[in-house]
Amino acid sequence: MAEWRHPDWLGVDMKRWVLLVVGVVLGLLGLLWTLQGGGVITGSGMSGQRQWFLIGLIALVVGIALVVSQARRRAGRRSG
């Protein structure tokens, strides 16, 4: 009996979607942490803390980079 195997492109496409979702979530968390660390959002222990402002900025930049890189790969794949 033949064994069913998923197409190779399916795994690659799924990896891109996962990285895109991770990038969006990381970017949103980074934005939240940046705003809390900067004192814009108050009411938590993170509010007004410089370390959370910097951690948030790093997470925001990494999240944006992931989203942009996955969007470019998808756009390049369509036109290519």
Side-chain angles (χ1 to χ4, degrees):
M1 181 176 234
E3 185 177 320
W4 183 82
R5 237 180 64 137
H6 74 295
D8 289 335
W9 62 267
L10 187 62
V12 173
D13 202 35
M14 182 61 75
K15 180 181 175 184
R16 288 183 179 155
W17 277 107
V18 168
L19 288 174
L20 182 66
V21 169
V22 168
V24 169
V25 170
L26 189 60
L28 290 173
L29 281 174
L31 179 62
L32 175 65
W33 293 340
T34 301
L35 293 174
Q36 282 182 321
V40 176
I41 298 176
T42 59
S44 79
M46 295 166 55
S47 298
Q49 299 293 321
R50 181 184 171 130
Q51 77 183 42
W52 284 109
F53 179 78
L54 295 175
I55 291 170
L57 278 179
I58 292 168
L60 181 61
V61 169
V62 170
I64 289 171
L66 274 174
V67 169
V68 168
S69 71
Q70 296 311 306
R72 282 185 169 202
R73 282 187 181 177
R74 293 191 67 73
R77 189 170 148 196
R78 276 191 218 140
S79 63

